[in-house]
């Protein structure tokens, strides 16, 4: 019996060491991911922002926030947002980690001017003093009280392997022809010379923006004769993506926090 | 005694290998229009072709599934439904404000033939007898919960016109055959098909009544 005592003790210690080694998990780095997107807001409609996280924290509780605002790093615009709610959506895999998607729903103040943020940051300030500043893409606020153009057909095609529009197709009911000279998508403008006739679909090709461009208000500049007009088209969801959005890694802004 | 045992084993083997090729009952048949750019749906593959593919999974194993993808990630396009249709029979234009809520969409739909069954637990579909693991299907819910996102579309509808908003989209189809083995005996065999929605488009149009 005495002969077995020491080997058993050694075996017991080895088992304990193995259990200890297996149970050790490297501390997980807390990460937030936002994606560059073209956000447009018409007349103070709600604003929806998706934020992906690999952990649960106070940033997912509505009551924990002191204030939230949108800020343009290149300008002086700072816009206080009212957080209506936070919803947990699906989880997605990204670089062997699982990220939950949280939808932040905001109400914007109604302004009578247009606002543009080429690089919009969402600044989340907690009551405990913690703060996060996340790049979400570009943001445009449009004020429009009435439409001059009568849009009667609207649809789009999507670029392969990107979450953005390839073409926008529009048809108008009109009494006289006009020429589309410019299309504004977020903070970028593209020039065209497309004459729009009655009952004819006009197709506008969109160059790559490397941002999510799926649901927005388009701003058109058009000419009738020599006079130039501007029109903000109604907010429209052109397409929805059902693949893992984080797999489009070119869009991702990854933030690590302590 | 040995003869009885042999007879019993043969009977068990026969019972386990019974194959019943049923017609696939696919959910996406409910779509108004489905266009497959290349390849075939499982329901369109003939029995003789299926038997040819079964030979690819004929090598017996102690336990579990052997599977063979006949088609992998075939692209397809579809048209599903008209979300709304609004008529203006009056004599004056009307302003129409539509609250567009993003719909709950089941992004994955499974169908099967033969002994393979599709289980439905809540709104989550999975194949019976753990075929999901063999096919490396993600077991988590594939339902998009986006009812929180609501957009308002404001449009003028002229007299004598109808406003339609309809959905069409793109997806991927993977189908194949599989055999499940228990103690090197064929236990279940059949075909599987996985349809995954990748993109859904919205199209708005005003047409004259």
């Amino acid at each position: 019996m005495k002969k077995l005592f020491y080997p058993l003790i050694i075996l017991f210690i080895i088992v304990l060491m193995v259990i200890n080694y297996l149970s050790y998990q490297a501390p997980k780095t807390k990460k937030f991911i936002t994606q560059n997107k073209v956000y447009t807001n018409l007349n103070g409609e709600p604003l929806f922002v998706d934020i992906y996280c690999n952990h649960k924290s106070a940033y997912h509780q509505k009551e924990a926030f002191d204030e939230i605002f949108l800020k343009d790093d290149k300008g002086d615009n700072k816009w206080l947002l009212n957080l209506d709610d936070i919803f947990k959506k699906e989880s997605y895999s990204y670089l062997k980690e699982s990220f939950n998607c949280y939808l932040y729903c905001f109400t914007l103040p109604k302004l009578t001017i247009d606002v543009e943020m080429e690089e919009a940051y969402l600044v989340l300030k907690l009551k405990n003093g913690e703060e996060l500043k996340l790049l979400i893409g570009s943001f445009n606020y449009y004020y429009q009280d009435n439409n001059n153009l009568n849009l009667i057909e609207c649809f789009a095609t999507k670029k392969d392997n990107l979450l953005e529009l390839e073409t926008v197709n529009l048809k108008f009911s009109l009494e006289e022809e006009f020429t589309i000279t410019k299309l504004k998508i977020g903070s970028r403008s593209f020039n065209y010379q497309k004459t729009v006739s009655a009952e004819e679909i006009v197709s506008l090709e969109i160059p790559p923006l490397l941002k999510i461009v799926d649901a927005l208000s388009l701003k058109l500049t058009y000419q009738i004769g020599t006079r130039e007009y501007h029109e903000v088209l109604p907010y429209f969801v052109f397409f929805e993506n059902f693949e893992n959005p984080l797999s489009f890694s070119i869009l991702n802004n990854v933030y690590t926090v302590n | 005694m040995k003869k009885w045992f042999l007879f019993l084993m043969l009977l068990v083997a026969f019972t386990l290998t019974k194959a019943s090729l049923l017609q696939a009952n696919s959910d996406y048949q409910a779509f108004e229009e489905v266009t497959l750019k290349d390849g075939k749906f499982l329901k369109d593959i003939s029995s003789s072709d299926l038997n040819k593919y079964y030979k690819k999974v004929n090598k017996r194993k102690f336990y579990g599934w052997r599977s063979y993808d006949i088609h992998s990630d075939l692209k397809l396009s579809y048209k599903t439904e008209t979300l709304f249709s609004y008529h203006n029979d009056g004599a004056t234009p009307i302003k129409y404000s539509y609250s567009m809520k993003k719909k709950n969409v089941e992004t994955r739909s499974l169908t099967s033939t033969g002994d393979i069954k599709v289980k439905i637990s809540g709104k989550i579909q999975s194949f019976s007898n753990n075929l999901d693991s063999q096919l490396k299907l993600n077991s988590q819910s594939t339902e998009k919960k986006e009812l929180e996102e609501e957009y308002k579309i404001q449009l003028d509808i002229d007299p004598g016109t109808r406003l339609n908003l309809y959905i069409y989209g793109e997806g991927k189809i993977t189908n194949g055959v599989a055999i499940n083995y228990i103690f090197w005996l064929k236990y279940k065999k059949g075909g599987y098909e996985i349809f995954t929605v990748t993109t859904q488009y919205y199209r708005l149009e005003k047409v004259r009544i």
Side-chain angles (χ1 to χ4, degrees):
Chain A
M1 190 64 188
K2 275 185 180 176
K3 282 180 185 173
L4 276 174
F5 182 74
Y6 287 109
L8 277 174
I9 286 289
I10 291 165
L11 188 70
F12 181 68
I13 290 168
I14 289 169
V15 168
L16 279 181
M17 283 169 74
V18 169
I19 290 170
N20 191 35
Y21 175 77
L22 292 176
S23 62
Y24 176 77
Q25 285 180 325
K28 194 167 144 186
T29 312
K30 292 177 180 175
K31 290 177 190 159
F32 289 86
I33 300 178
T34 56
Q35 294 195 297
N36 290 325
K37 179 172 173 157
V38 172
Y39 290 92
T40 61
N41 188 278
L42 192 60
N43 295 341
E45 288 291 326
L47 175 73
F48 303 104
V49 180
D50 284 329
I51 299 176
Y52 303 85
C53 298
N54 65 346
H55 64 284
K56 179 99 179 131
S57 69
Y59 286 102
H60 306 119
Q61 288 165 13
K62 189 186 159 192
E63 298 75 21
F65 289 97
D66 184 25
E67 64 173 6
I68 301 174
F69 52 88
L70 268 181
K71 194 177 180 309
D72 188 359
D73 235 27
K74 289 184 177 173
D76 300 325
N77 289 319
K78 181 183 166 182
W79 206 351
L80 208 60
L81 304 175
N82 182 46
L83 178 63
D84 292 332
D85 222 332
I86 305 168
F87 295 99
K88 188 179 171 190
K89 292 163 67 181
E90 302 91 326
S91 61
Y92 297 102
S93 166
Y94 179 62
L95 299 177
K96 294 179 182 171
E97 275 190 273
S98 181
F99 287 82
N100 284 318
C101 178
Y102 292 87
L103 177 76
Y104 288 70
C105 308
F106 300 105
T107 307
L108 301 180
K110 200 169 180 177
L111 303 178
T112 51
I113 51 160
D114 289 357
V115 176
E116 180 169 307
M117 297 185 189
E118 196 179 334
E119 281 197 346
Y121 286 83
L122 185 70
V123 182
L124 305 158
K125 278 189 175 177
L126 296 181
K127 285 174 182 163
N128 66 5
E130 281 183 43
E131 187 180 316
L132 258 181
K133 188 180 164 194
L134 309 168
L135 177 64
I136 59 165
S138 68
F139 174 80
N140 283 74
Y141 179 92
Y142 296 125
Y143 170 75
Q144 177 137 326
D145 52 356
N146 64 334
N147 286 91
N148 298 316
L149 294 176
N150 187 0
L151 182 67
I152 59 169
E153 195 159 343
C154 178
F155 63 98
T157 56
K158 181 184 145 302
K159 284 188 172 64
D160 280 343
N161 305 319
L162 286 171
L163 299 180
E164 53 183 286
L165 303 176
E166 172 75 28
T167 63
V168 174
N169 303 282
L170 307 164
K171 190 165 145 184
F172 299 91
S173 171
L174 46 109
E175 286 160 11
E176 56 181 330
E177 283 186 356
F178 64 89
T179 305
I180 296 174
T181 55
K182 208 177 274 182
L183 175 69
K184 192 163 185 198
I185 296 184
S187 54
R188 296 277 304 275
S189 288
F190 305 104
N191 295 323
Y192 301 89
Q193 274 296 322
K194 293 263 186 185
T195 305
V196 183
S197 314
E199 304 298 312
E200 189 184 283
I201 293 176
V202 60
S203 183
L204 304 172
E205 283 185 27
I206 317 291
L209 292 163
L210 301 183
K211 287 190 174 105
I212 298 173
V213 188
D214 56 355
L216 72 161
S217 291
L218 300 165
K219 189 173 183 179
L220 284 179
T221 304
Y222 62 97
Q223 282 181 338
I224 300 175
T226 52
R227 288 199 69 179
E228 192 173 80
Y229 301 87
H230 301 283
E231 175 95 356
V232 179
L233 299 181
Y235 189 92
F236 193 66
V237 180
F238 288 97
F239 71 87
E240 279 181 89
N241 165 56
F242 292 104
E243 292 181 286
N244 179 357
L246 298 178
S247 65
F248 299 88
S249 51
I250 197 162
L251 304 167
N252 297 347
N253 305 308
V254 183
Y255 297 87
T256 55
V257 290
N258 296 323
Chain B
M1 184 65 187
K2 276 181 184 174
K3 279 180 187 170
W4 273 109
F5 183 72
L6 197 66
F7 176 73
L8 197 68
M9 285 301 290
L10 280 171
L11 192 70
V12 169
F14 176 75
T15 315
L16 292 176
T17 54
K18 70 177 175 61
S20 52
L21 282 170
L22 301 171
Q23 189 72 8
N25 178 25
S26 67
D27 286 342
Y28 31 90
Q29 282 182 341
F31 291 166
E32 278 179 31
E33 208 178 289
V34 181
T35 313
L36 201 55
K37 288 169 188 164
D38 204 6
K40 279 181 180 176
F41 287 113
L42 185 62
K43 67 182 174 62
D44 298 327
I45 300 171
S46 66
S47 300
S48 59
D49 280 346
L50 277 179
N51 285 333
K52 197 171 69 188
Y53 294 122
Y54 278 125
K55 286 177 186 163
K56 307 262 186 191
V57 286
N58 236 355
K59 194 180 172 190
R60 290 173 188 270
K61 67 191 282 192
F62 174 67
Y63 184 80
W65 289 94
R66 279 196 194 282
S67 64
Y68 175 76
D69 282 352
I70 302 169
H71 298 111
S72 183
D73 287 343
L74 291 178
K75 284 187 178 175
L76 67 78
S77 55
Y78 64 88
K79 185 181 170 187
T80 55
E81 58 180 314
T82 304
L83 268 185
F84 72 80
S85 190
Y86 197 92
H87 296 247
N88 181 4
D89 293 326
T92 52
I94 49 171
K95 275 207 181 293
Y96 184 65
S97 178
Y98 175 73
S99 286
M100 183 183 168
K101 284 184 178 180
K102 284 195 180 177
K103 289 185 67 179
N104 264 8
V105 175
E106 193 60 48
T107 59
R108 193 173 70 199
S109 169
L110 307 178
T111 51
S112 62
T113 61
D115 300 323
I116 299 171
K117 300 283 176 259
V118 175
K119 292 188 294 182
I120 301 171
S121 166
K123 288 182 177 177
I124 304 167
Q125 289 186 326
S126 60
F127 287 117
S128 58
N129 295 76
N130 211 21
L131 176 60
D132 296 39
S133 326
Q134 167 72 18
L135 301 175
K136 296 189 173 79
L137 288 184
N138 194 346
S139 59
Q140 72 186 30
S141 171
T142 54
E143 188 189 5
K144 297 278 283 187
K145 294 169 188 164
E146 294 189 285
L147 278 174
E148 305 85 9
E149 289 176 71
E150 185 178 340
Y151 303 97
K152 276 190 184 153
I153 299 171
Q154 289 187 326
L155 288 158
D156 295 323
I157 308 177
D158 302 322
T161 59
R162 187 179 70 227
L163 178 70
N164 296 326
L165 181 70
Y166 59 86
I167 298 175
Y168 58 102
E170 291 166 349
K172 286 187 285 193
I173 285 271
T174 295
N175 55 30
V177 289
I179 297 180
N180 193 13
Y181 293 91
I182 295 178
F183 300 117
W184 296 280
L185 295 171
K186 288 178 185 173
Y187 175 52
K188 285 178 185 292
K189 90 178 202 183
Y192 57 84
E193 189 159 76
I194 306 143
F195 167 65
T196 316
V197 178
T198 54
T199 313
Q200 193 154 278
Y201 297 89
Y202 295 88
R203 182 168 179 155
L204 186 88
E205 63 179 16
K206 280 189 260 184
V207 289
R208 296 207 180 278
I209 301 169

